[in-house]
Amino acid sequence: MQIDPASETSRRIYYLMTSGVVPRPIAWVSTVSRDGVLNLAPFSYFNAITSKPPLLSISVGRRRGERKDTSANASATGELVINVVTEKNLLPMVETAGEYGPEVNEFEVAGLTPIPSERVKPPRVKEAPVQLECRTHQIIEISPGIADLVIAEVLLFHVADDLPVDENLRIPSSELKPVGRLAGDQYTTLGELRDAARPKV
């Protein structure tokens, strides 16, 4: 089967991409508006870009051409926190995915605990074992009215004290228990882990 995106609707291509590009990590992003309203929302078009400087990318689709609260706040204040989604906080994360108005505090909706960050104003999610305090490095509008690609620079990493971290700062995935996004309403946990070393040439 061959599928030409030029001959398909954007909705069908969305379904194809979100079922074919899997699993995807989830950025659980907390921001605060200029008026002080907290916002928390998940995004699975998310990944690391570089380690020096530590940059991450999050694609935030627009709603009817307008910026969502996450990208609007990240643009207005220049700050955000990315929280890691694990098995324990999967369901609260899903609660924060609703299309709430900008006046709604999703921490309250999902019964989550905001805790102060050290270098940015947006709070961290206490229930997340890894939290990344970030400044907005750049926001790129992807085609007019389609999406905002938020590039965030990590200023400070927070790792829960009960997570073992080796001498190279590696967190074992078996202990973190991250969740990945699949198609539709499906998510995945780690399942079986396999080691496969790269060839030494």
Side-chain angles (χ1 to χ4, degrees):
M1 175 185 291
Q2 293 182 336
I3 301 167
D4 182 351
S7 62
E8 293 287 348
T9 66
S10 60
R11 174 55 58 180
R12 283 165 58 87
I13 293 301
Y14 168 81
Y15 290 146
L16 179 60
M17 289 183 65
T18 56
S19 60
V21 183
V22 289
R24 299 184 306 281
I26 303 166
W28 204 10
V29 185
S30 47
T31 59
V32 60
S33 72
R34 281 181 173 168
D35 297 329
V37 179
L38 302 185
N39 179 262
L40 180 63
F43 300 92
S44 66
Y45 278 10
F46 162 64
N47 222 314
I49 302 174
T50 65
S51 301
K52 187 176 182 180
L55 297 178
L56 303 162
S57 66
I58 309 158
S59 178
V60 182
R62 292 199 175 191
R63 185 179 295 123
R64 293 177 289 279
E66 299 295 324
R67 275 184 167 170
K68 291 183 179 178
D69 297 336
T70 297
S71 51
N73 293 344
S75 175
T77 68
E79 297 178 337
L80 61 154
V81 176
I82 299 172
N83 305 274
V84 171
V85 179
T86 64
E87 293 180 21
K88 288 184 178 180
N89 52 42
L90 169 61
L91 294 181
M93 178 276 294
V94 174
E95 284 295 309
T96 67
E99 293 192 13
Y100 304 105
E103 75 284 356
V104 174
N105 178 344
E106 288 85 358
F107 280 90
E108 295 177 353
V109 170
L112 294 162
T113 311
I115 56 175
S117 297
E118 294 189 18
R119 300 189 185 177
V120 297
K121 288 184 179 179
R124 297 173 284 141
V125 176
K126 181 180 180 180
E127 292 78 6
V130 177
Q131 309 131 356
L132 315 176
E133 296 187 30
C134 302
R135 74 158 58 99
T136 304
H137 179 80
Q138 187 178 5
I139 297 180
I140 304 168
E141 184 178 1
I142 306 298
S143 299
I146 299 299
D148 294 297
L149 183 64
V150 179
I151 300 176
E153 180 178 357
V154 183
L155 303 178
L156 191 63
F157 295 83
H158 297 268
V159 179
D161 292 335
D162 59 354
L163 276 178
V165 178
D166 72 13
E167 66 277 5
N168 290 313
L169 296 181
R170 283 185 293 228
I171 304 169
S173 297
S174 59
E175 297 291 331
L176 180 61
K177 295 181 170 57
V179 168
R181 183 74 192 274
L182 301 176
D185 294 333
Q186 291 189 325
Y187 297 83
T188 183
T189 54
L190 287 180
E192 180 185 357
L193 300 181
R194 298 184 181 182
D195 291 333
R198 288 185 294 181
K200 296 178 180 179
V201 296

